[in-house]
């Protein structure tokens, strides 16, 4: 068995003396693990950073075997963002969410393309917004997509303001007025607005985090990343904390 | 039940850099040199196990607490270098590049290994900052996603202390040729370029 595919590095964990079990999100083979000989070595470390784009050659005697990877670096997306904490947090979170949520060896070309597009963004201000949209795509691909096209109560398509935490469907401003404190506000950028701030990203992360936690991570594919079913991966929790802190900082400046 | 010989081979094979074959060779070598090598090794390991402990101040491994670096009056008191592991202190000490004090975090934030902020010695670092007259904290963490995520997290936690926080530069290694460097190192080098002349 042998194939060559383009892939994004999700994680590398030590195995034995020198090797590493590397998990990739490949373009046509889905989330796929394999052994990289010498994966713990100094030369392999820059290659195995989460978010890197690699050309992966996988080889095994039988398809159900773990198999061996030979990797060539195609693009390094992380080094340019070492000084930008929110982008590093997004990269770590996206890789952890992908690893914990996607089933193994099932092609997910939409998720791969979305993640690749996310990692290619050049404006750091866009990363938070793009990440929330990508998580919505993950939910959709796994069968738990949110419907924010029309109000689930009145059917109207205008003045949508909330998402129901139970159904994942939109609720209009008027219909949700009396119980708005139990609904998730829809972030402005999901309603087509070109203006947003850290608080809108925080709202988006809270909303997608709720549905990921409820539907996807209740039965995670990777117990390595999620200690208790229903928890979000720690990298994802830290990303939410980052935007909470950023929102608080903006509010404090406004108060002053 | 394993024989003493097999047990020794199995334990040695768990050490970094040794596999079952090299462990067998090492055991054979030790048994052939019982007096000159095996017994001194047993004594040295016994002494190290009993006496070497983490320094209560910086986290360095030493047979005294505080460790020789924390006790050294010739070192700069105002500058603290934060490292991931004791091995990083040894590397920096070999280079003689730094003459201040150290603080060992004990790892980096890692989703895969389940290392959370509370597992690192960040609170101890903040306590040191509040107690001492430090003017600069140097974050000497690895140039990896986990290392830099940790550096940002630590910097955020230390922001309220008002101390200057710096990090090590990323870029060209000494003796490195541009043609052979990976993209990431080149990008980091361009971003960290500085004025000359």
């Amino acid at each position: 068995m042998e194939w060559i595919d383009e892939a994004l590095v999700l994680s590398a964990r030590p195995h034995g003396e020198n090797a590493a079990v590397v998990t990739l999100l490949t373009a046509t083979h889905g989330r796929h693990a394999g052994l990289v000989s010498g994966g713990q070595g100094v030369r392999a470390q820059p290659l195995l950073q989460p978010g890197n784009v690699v050309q992966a050659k996988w080889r095994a005697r039988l398809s159900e075997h773990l198999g061996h990877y030979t990797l060539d670096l195609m693009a390094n997306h992380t080094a340019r963002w070492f000084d930008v904490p929110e982008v590093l947090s997004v990269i770590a979170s996206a890789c952890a969410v992908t690893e914990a949520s996607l089933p193994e060896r099932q092609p997910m070309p939409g998720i791969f393309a979305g993640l690749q597009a996310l990692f290619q963004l050049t404006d750091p201000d866009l990363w938070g917004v793009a990440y929330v949209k990508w998580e919505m795509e993950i939910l959709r691909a796994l069968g738990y997509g949110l419907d924010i096209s029309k109000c689930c109560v009145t059917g109207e398509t205008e003045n949508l303001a909330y998402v129901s935490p139970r159904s994942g469907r939109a609720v209009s401003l008027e219909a949700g007025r009396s119980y708005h404190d139990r609904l998730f506000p829809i972030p402005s950028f999901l309603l087509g607005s070109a203006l947003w701030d850290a608080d809108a990203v925080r709202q988006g992360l809270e909303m997608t985090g709720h549905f990921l936690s409820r539907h996807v991570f209740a039965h995670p594919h990777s117990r390595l990343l999620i200690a208790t079913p229903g928890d979000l991966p720690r990298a994802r929790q830290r990303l939410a904390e980052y935007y909470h802190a950023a929102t608080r900082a903006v509010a404090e400046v406004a108060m002053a | 039940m394993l024989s003493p010989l097999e047990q020794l081979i199995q334990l040695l094979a768990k050490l970094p850099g040794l596999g079952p074959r090299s462990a067998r060779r090492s055991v054979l070598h030790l048994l052939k040199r019982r007096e000159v090598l095996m017994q001194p090794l047993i004594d040295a390991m016994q002494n190290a196990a009993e006496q070497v402990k983490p320094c209560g101040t910086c986290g360095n491994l030493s047979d005294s607490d505080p460790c020789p670096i924390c006790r050294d009056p010739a070192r700069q008191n105002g500058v603290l270098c934060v490292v991931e592991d004791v091995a990083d202190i040894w590397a920096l000490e070999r280079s003689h590049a730094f003459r201040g004090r150290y603080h060992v975090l004990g790892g980096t934030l890692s989703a895969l290994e389940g290392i959370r902020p509370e597992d690192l010695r960040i609170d101890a670092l903040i306590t040191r900052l509040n107690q001492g007259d430090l003017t600069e904290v140097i974050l000497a963490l690895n140039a990896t996603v986990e290392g830099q995520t940790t550096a940002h997290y630590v910097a955020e936690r230390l922001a309220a202390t008002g101390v200057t926080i710096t990090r090590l530069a990323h870029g060209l290694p000494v003796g490195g040729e541009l043609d052979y460097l990976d993209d990431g190192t080149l990008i980091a080098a361009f971003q960290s370029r500085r004025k000359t002349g």
Side-chain angles (χ1 to χ4, degrees), chain A residues 4 12 22 58 86 204 207 209 249:
Chain A
I4 295 175
V22 177
W58 183 80
E86 65 265 40
M207 183 179 73

Side-chain angles (χ1 to χ4, degrees), chain A residues 11-13 17 46 49-50 73-76 78-80 82-85 88 92 99 224-225 234-235 238 242 245, chain B residues 15-18 109-112 114-117 143-145 148-149 152-153 156 167 170 182-184 187-188 191:
Chain A
S11 70
R13 63 176 194 275
E17 189 61 35
Q49 291 302 301
L73 186 66
M74 292 170 72
N76 181 321
T78 51
R80 73 179 72 225
F82 275 170
D83 289 330
V84 190
L88 278 186
E99 176 147 18
L224 278 170
L225 293 159
R234 287 195 186 92
R238 274 200 297 280
Y242 176 86
Chain B
L15 295 179
L18 291 183
L109 298 175
S110 168
L112 209 59
I115 301 175
R116 301 160 301 168
T144 59
V145 173
Q148 293 308 301
T149 304
H152 287 300
Y153 181 82
E156 203 178 294
R167 67 152 173 82
H170 304 142
D182 65 282
D183 297 358
I187 291 165
Q191 285 177 341

Side-chain angles (χ1 to χ4, degrees), chain A residues 19-241:
Chain A
V21 174
V22 177
T23 307
L24 305 176
L25 180 65
T26 60
T28 56
H29 295 83
R31 183 172 73 91
H32 201 296
L35 195 80
V36 173
S37 302
Q40 292 179 52
V42 179
R43 290 169 70 95
Q45 286 307 305
L47 180 70
L48 299 180
Q49 291 302 301
N52 278 356
V53 183
V54 293
Q55 189 190 56
K57 183 175 181 182
W58 183 80
R59 188 180 289 177
R61 195 168 63 79
L62 297 172
S63 63
E64 59 263 37
H65 286 175
L66 175 66
H68 282 77
Y69 272 135
T70 309
L71 305 177
D72 279 320
L73 186 66
M74 292 170 72
N76 181 321
H77 290 309
T78 51
R80 73 179 72 225
W81 301 115
F82 275 170
D83 289 330
V84 190
E86 65 265 40
V87 174
L88 278 186
S89 300
V90 166
I91 291 171
S93 177
C95 291
V97 166
T98 306
E99 176 147 18
S101 65
L102 296 190
E104 230 179 328
R105 301 190 178 192
Q106 283 192 26
M108 294 274 185
I111 300 294
F112 176 81
L115 199 57
Q116 207 177 30
L118 174 70
F119 289 167
Q120 283 171 354
L121 288 174
T122 52
D123 181 354
D125 292 339
L126 294 174
W127 279 70
V129 170
Y131 178 78
V132 172
K133 290 180 176 174
W134 175 78
E135 278 198 342
M136 289 189 62
E137 179 59 25
I138 282 256
L139 283 166
R140 196 196 59 73
L142 294 174
Y144 305 107
L146 310 185
D147 177 8
I148 54 169
S149 60
K150 64 178 180 186
C151 175
C152 64
V153 182
T154 62
E156 64 180 310
T157 54
E158 299 294 315
N159 296 320
L160 300 176
Y162 307 106
V163 165
S164 161
R166 279 172 182 263
S167 66
R169 296 173 67 190
V171 180
S172 68
L173 186 65
E174 193 57 39
R177 196 182 297 279
S178 51
Y179 45 98
H180 68 277
D181 52 335
R182 280 175 281 162
L183 302 172
F184 288 111
I186 304 179
S188 55
F189 56 84
L190 290 181
L191 294 170
S193 170
L195 295 173
W196 66 81
D197 54 9
D199 194 41
V201 178
R202 181 193 61 77
Q203 287 175 346
L205 290 173
E206 241 171 56
M207 183 179 73
T208 51
H210 167 80
F211 292 104
L212 283 170
S213 172
R214 183 176 169 182
H215 297 304
V216 180
F217 296 129
H219 311 284
H221 289 287
S222 171
R223 296 277 172 197
L224 278 170
L225 293 159
I226 295 173
T228 315
D231 279 356
L232 293 170
R234 287 195 186 92
R236 172 63 169 78
Q237 291 174 18
R238 274 200 297 280
L239 178 67
E241 282 164 17

